[in-house]
Amino acid sequence: MKIVRDTWLIFQQEAGLMVRNPVMVAFSLAQPITYLILFAPFLKVVMVDRGASSYADAYRIYVPGLFVAMGLFGGLFAGYGLLSALRAGIIDRCRVTPVSRTGLLLGRALMHVSLNVTQAVIVTLVALPFGLRVHLANLLISYALLGVMVLLSTSLSYDIALLVRNENSLGVLVNTVGQPISLLAGVLIPLVLAPMWIQRAARWNPFAWATDGMRALFAGQITQNVVWQGALIMIGLAAASLFWSSHLFGREVS
Amino acid sequence: MIEATGLRKSFRVGRGRGATTVEAVRGVDFAVRRGEIVGFLGPNGAGKSTTLRMLATLIQPSGGEATIAGVDLLRSPAQVRRRIGFVAQASGTYDDSTARRDLVLQARMHGRSKSVAQDLAVAAIRAFQLDDFADRKIKTYSGGQRRRLDVALGVIHSPQVMFLDEPTAGLDPPSRVRMWQEVRRLREEGMTIFLTTHYLDEADSLCDRVSIIDGGRIVAEGTPSDLKREISGDVVTVEFAATDLADGSGDDLPAASKLLAEAPYVHAAEPVDGALRLYVDSAATAIPQIMRALYDRGIEPGAIETRRPSLDDVFLAKTGRSLEE
C-alpha cells in the first residue's frame, strides 16, 4: 500500500522534527496546564448545584472540555505549518517525486493527531493528583475520539489555508471560526448552565456533541447515546473534510 | 530528451469581475538533446520559472505539449517524475533538519527502501562534499552549502533530466563557480540539464545552448557564440560627462543618440543606463568618426569603451531593453 507507506514516511519526518524541538512541545503544554490548575477549581464552585461536590467531579467535567479545546485549536493552527512548508518550497520538492499526494497531507495531519494525544496524556497525568479518576478503557476511547477530532480540525485548517493562501487571513478565519465553536461546545463551562437559546444553537455544533460524548466517557457512562453519536459525527466530518483538503491539495499547488 | 511545442500558461489573477488573465508563457517551442546543458535566459517575470514548473509537473500547462525522456508530460506526469530531478528557487529544505535526514527522506520519497536510501545519502554527501556539515541543522548552512544540498537532493535518484531554477541566484562568486562545476559534473555523469538564469555570464560559460525568453516568448535561440555572432562587429559604449545645467547645455544623450543612429557607420544605437551603446563593424575605424561627429555637434563624450558583443547585446537587439538595467 503506497499511500500507507508514504503517509508513514511523511509522519516520521514531521514527528522527527517535532521531537528535535522539545522546547516547542513543552511550551504548547503551558496553556492547557495553566487552565487545568487555575480554571478547574472555579468549576467546582459553579457546578456545585449540578452535583460537582468534589475536585474529582470538577476535573471529570473540565478535563474532557480541555481535550476538546486543545484538539480544536491545536488542529486549527496546523494550516500555518502547511503554508510555511509551501512557501519554503518543501511541498514543491515533495510533489516532484512520485510520493503520494494524499500521503503528504495525511502524514502531516497525523503528526498533529499524535502530538495532541500526547499532550492529552500529559494533561491527564497532571490532573490525577488533583483528584481526576476515570476508567482506563473510557480514557483510551476518549483519546481515540480526540484523535479523530484533531484530524477534523487539522483538515479544516488545511482547507482554509489552501483556499486563502495567506497566514494573516488564516489567523483571522481560524479565530473567528474557533471561538464560537469552542464556546458553543461548552469546553469551559458545560452547556447545562447556558440559556436555552444557546443550548439550542449548540445542537448544530458537531464539537458540542463530541464534548458531551467525551464527558459521558469520563463520567463512566459509556452506554449513553451521545458517545457513539459524537464519535460518528466526528468520523463522518473528518472523512469529508480530509477528502476535500486532499482534493484542494491535489489541484495545482503553485 | 526534452521536446516542447506550443507550451502555454495563463493565470487568472484576482476574483470575480476584477479578474484578469495573465499570459505568463505564450507558446514556446524548444528541444534539448541528451547530455546538453540548455539555459533559459531572461529577466524576472519573463516566464522562465513558469516553463520550468510546467516541465517539472508542478503546474498544468494551459496549452501545448511536451515529451520528457520519451514520456508524455500531460498523459503520464507520474512517469515523468521518476525520470526528472528539480531544484526550485526556494530551496525546499527543513530548517531544523539536517542534510543527511533530508537526503534519506528524498530517496525514500522516490520509493527507495530505508537501507538503500541511507547508502544513497552517504554517496551524495561524498559527491557534493557535504561531509563537514551533513549532520548539522540546515539553518546553519551558508548560501552555497544550502544550494549544493538542494542539487544533491534533486539528483539523489539519478534522474535522466535535471531542472535547475536559478541555481546560483544570490550566491557569492566563489560559490557560483563551484555550482557551475557541480552542474558540469552532472552532465559528465550523463544527465541532461535544463536551467533558468538571469545571469549573462552563467548562460555564456555554462550553457551549450541558450534560449532568450522575454514576455513569455522565446526571442532567440542558439549557442552563446552563434547568438553573439549574429551581432556582427563590435560594441562601442560612449559615456557622457555629468551634465552642467548652469551652462545650459542640457542633456547630451538624446542628441548624441539621434545623431549617431543616423550615421552610416553605426548599425544601431541604444541608450543604456545613461550611456550610449553603439553597434559598429569595426571599433578601430568607427571611434575616430564617432569622436569627430560628437565634437562637431559640440558634445563632449566622457569615456569611450569598446568590447566584443555579449549576450546582453543579443538581448538588447531582440527586445530593445537591456538585461542589466
Side-chain angles (χ1 to χ4, degrees), chain B residues 25-66:
Chain B
V25 178
R26 302 164 188 260
V28 294
D29 305 291
F30 58 90
V32 180
R33 288 185 290 271
R34 185 182 296 271
E36 270 190 313
I37 301 179
V38 171
F40 258 24
L41 173 69
N44 292 330
K48 301 179 305 240
S49 292
T50 307
T51 308
L52 209 66
R53 293 171 65 80
M54 284 194 276
L55 295 173
T57 74
L58 284 173
I59 50 176
Q60 192 116 38
S62 314
E65 47 193 61

Side-chain angles (χ1 to χ4, degrees), chain A residues 113 117 138-150 214 235:
Chain A
V113 169
V117 172
N138 289 3
L139 182 64
L140 292 178
I141 297 171
S142 300
Y143 289 152
L145 183 57
L146 172 67
V148 179
M149 197 183 297
V150 177
M214 212 175 290
I235 292 171

Side-chain angles (χ1 to χ4, degrees), chain B:
Chain B
M1 215 53 184
I2 307 175
E3 224 162 299
T5 26
L7 216 50
R8 281 196 306 110
K9 180 71 194 178
S10 46
F11 294 103
R12 280 180 70 77
V13 179
R15 278 188 195 152
R17 267 190 214 166
T20 49
T21 307
V22 174
E23 304 276 340
V25 178
R26 302 164 188 260
V28 294
D29 305 291
F30 58 90
V32 180
R33 288 185 290 271
R34 185 182 296 271
E36 270 190 313
I37 301 179
V38 171
F40 258 24
L41 173 69
N44 292 330
K48 301 179 305 240
S49 292
T50 307
T51 308
L52 209 66
R53 293 171 65 80
M54 284 194 276
L55 295 173
T57 74
L58 284 173
I59 50 176
Q60 192 116 38
S62 314
E65 47 193 61
T67 314
I68 296 165
V71 180
D72 189 287
L73 175 68
L74 297 178
R75 260 177 243 128
S76 347
Q79 289 299 312
V80 170
R81 284 181 202 123
R82 294 181 190 285
R83 291 163 171 79
I84 63 165
F86 173 68
V87 177
Q89 272 180 61
S91 83
T93 44
Y94 292 81
D95 275 355
D96 285 325
S97 187
T98 66
R100 192 183 305 275
R101 276 183 72 99
D102 266 28
L103 285 163
V104 171
L105 171 72
Q106 187 77 4
R108 300 211 65 201
M109 287 197 294
H110 276 287
R112 307 296 192 270
S113 73
K114 197 167 188 173
S115 61
V116 171
Q118 278 160 350
D119 292 344
L120 285 173
V122 169
I125 288 167
R126 197 176 311 129
F128 286 88
Q129 294 169 9
L130 312 174
D131 313 71
D132 293 344
F133 46 88
D135 295 302
R136 262 182 17 216
K137 283 192 176 184
I138 291 173
K139 63 182 165 201
T140 65
Y141 295 5
S142 73
Q145 291 171 336
R146 203 177 251 257
R147 216 58 187 137
R148 287 216 305 284
L149 169 61
D150 294 341
V151 178
L153 287 166
V155 300
I156 191 110
H157 57 300
S158 310
Q160 299 175 47
V161 179
M162 187 68 198
F163 294 102
L164 300 167
D165 199 358
E166 301 277 358
T168 65
L171 294 188
D172 55 46
S175 303
R176 294 184 66 205
V177 172
R178 178 129 193 217
M179 183 56 74
W180 293 351
Q181 287 166 354
E182 298 290 357
V183 173
R184 291 194 188 103
R185 182 171 64 79
L186 294 176
R187 185 252 295 276
E188 275 155 29
E189 287 174 8
M191 278 179 214
T192 303
I193 291 152
F194 186 82
L195 58 88
T196 70
T197 182
H198 63 273
Y199 293 123
L200 298 161
D201 55 344
E202 185 157 288
D204 212 338
S205 62
L206 186 58
C207 298
D208 301 318
R209 282 191 302 122
V210 174
S211 290
I212 295 180
I213 181 164
D214 185 48
R217 283 197 185 85
I218 294 179
V219 294
E221 191 273 321
T223 66
S225 50
D226 280 348
L227 285 170
K228 286 183 285 187
R229 208 168 299 137
E230 274 183 36
I231 311 283
S232 56
D234 293 324
V235 182
V236 175
T237 308
V238 184
E239 285 172 24
F240 296 94
T243 325
D244 187 0
L245 287 175
D247 183 26
S249 60
D251 201 348
D252 287 335
L253 184 59
S257 173
K258 189 166 179 298
L259 171 73
L260 292 171
E262 287 161 4
Y265 46 86
V266 173
H267 295 306
E270 303 273 2
V272 175
D273 268 342
L276 190 59
R277 216 181 264 185
L278 303 165
Y279 297 91
V280 300
D281 281 331
S282 156
T285 57
I287 286 176
Q289 290 174 290
I290 292 169
M291 297 286 281
R292 198 176 315 127
L294 290 175
Y295 279 126
D296 287 351
R297 225 11 118 73
I299 301 171
E300 188 145 349
I304 294 193
E305 174 189 278
T306 168
R307 58 176 171 78
R308 303 287 306 151
S310 72
L311 284 176
D312 191 36
D313 299 310
V314 180
F315 189 82
L316 185 68
K318 299 288 181 187
T319 66
R321 288 179 295 118
S322 164
L323 252 182
E324 286 169 334
E325 266 170 15

Side-chain angles (χ1 to χ4, degrees), chain A residues 27-44 55 58-70 73 123-124 126-127 130 179 182-183 186-189 215:
Chain A
F27 266 111
S28 66
L29 273 168
Q31 203 182 7
I33 289 179
T34 309
Y35 266 92
L36 194 66
I37 295 169
L38 298 181
F39 180 75
F42 284 82
L43 271 189
K44 179 176 168 257
Y55 275 113
Y59 278 97
R60 200 172 288 146
I61 293 165
Y62 184 61
V63 171
L66 188 57
F67 281 7
V68 174
M70 286 162 58
F73 284 101
V123 166
T124 315
V126 173
F130 290 97
Q179 289 293 6
S182 68
L183 290 175
V187 297
L188 288 177
I189 297 171
R215 286 210 170 106

Side-chain angles (χ1 to χ4, degrees), chain A residues 61-119:
Chain A
I61 293 165
Y62 184 61
V63 171
L66 188 57
F67 281 7
V68 174
M70 286 162 58
L72 179 63
F73 284 101
L76 280 180
F77 283 99
Y80 279 101
L82 186 66
L83 286 180
S84 79
L86 273 168
R87 185 148 307 140
I90 292 169
I91 303 292
D92 276 354
R93 173 187 143 204
C94 298
R95 287 175 73 250
V96 183
T97 74
V99 75
S100 152
R101 278 31 191 166
T102 312
L104 283 178
L105 208 62
L106 206 54
R108 287 185 153 71
L110 289 176
M111 189 278 287
H112 288 282
V113 169
S114 65
L115 178 68
N116 273 279
V117 172
T118 309
Q119 290 175 334

Side-chain angles (χ1 to χ4, degrees), chain A:
Chain A
M1 278 295 278
K2 183 173 161 49
I3 178 169
V4 175
R5 175 198 181 271
D6 287 350
T7 302
W8 174 237
L9 184 64
I10 299 302
F11 172 81
Q12 280 178 306
Q13 169 77 2
E14 296 288 326
L17 290 172
M18 185 57 83
V19 172
R20 287 163 70 92
N21 233 332
V23 182
M24 286 300 291
V25 182
F27 266 111
S28 66
L29 273 168
Q31 203 182 7
I33 289 179
T34 309
Y35 266 92
L36 194 66
I37 295 169
L38 298 181
F39 180 75
F42 284 82
L43 271 189
K44 179 176 168 257
V45 181
V46 177
M47 295 290 285
V48 72
D49 295 343
R50 307 264 167 181
S53 51
S54 63
Y55 275 113
D57 292 333
Y59 278 97
R60 200 172 288 146
I61 293 165
Y62 184 61
V63 171
L66 188 57
F67 281 7
V68 174
M70 286 162 58
L72 179 63
F73 284 101
L76 280 180
F77 283 99
Y80 279 101
L82 186 66
L83 286 180
S84 79
L86 273 168
R87 185 148 307 140
I90 292 169
I91 303 292
D92 276 354
R93 173 187 143 204
C94 298
R95 287 175 73 250
V96 183
T97 74
V99 75
S100 152
R101 278 31 191 166
T102 312
L104 283 178
L105 208 62
L106 206 54
R108 287 185 153 71
L110 289 176
M111 189 278 287
H112 288 282
V113 169
S114 65
L115 178 68
N116 273 279
V117 172
T118 309
Q119 290 175 334
V121 171
I122 295 172
V123 166
T124 315
L125 293 176
V126 173
L128 284 177
F130 290 97
L132 174 72
R133 293 292 173 269
V134 52
H135 279 290
L136 184 63
N138 289 3
L139 182 64
L140 292 178
I141 297 171
S142 300
Y143 289 152
L145 183 57
L146 172 67
V148 179
M149 197 183 297
V150 177
L151 215 48
L152 169 59
S153 58
T154 304
S155 64
L156 281 175
S157 181
Y158 288 166
D159 294 337
I160 300 174
L162 289 168
L163 287 171
V164 301
R165 292 297 173 93
N166 163 325
E167 275 91 347
N168 293 332
S169 317
L170 177 69
V172 172
L173 277 166
V174 158
N175 278 316
T176 319
V177 173
Q179 289 293 6
I181 289 182
S182 68
L183 290 175
L184 276 185
V187 297
L188 288 177
I189 297 171
L191 289 167
V192 286
L193 294 177
M196 213 45 215
W197 69 270
I198 285 194
Q199 292 193 31
R200 262 191 229 113
R203 295 197 68 79
W204 295 95
N205 177 6
F207 284 88
W209 291 80
T211 314
D212 288 350
M214 212 175 290
R215 286 210 170 106
L217 283 167
F218 269 70
Q221 298 158 338
I222 192 173
T223 50
Q224 272 195 28
N225 283 339
V226 73
V227 174
W228 67 263
Q229 286 164 340
L232 206 63
I233 292 171
M234 284 294 120
I235 292 171
L237 288 177
S241 177
L242 272 172
F243 184 79
W244 174 237
S245 43
S246 70
H247 166 77
L248 287 175
F249 188 70
R251 274 197 332 198
E252 291 180 46
V253 182
S254 55

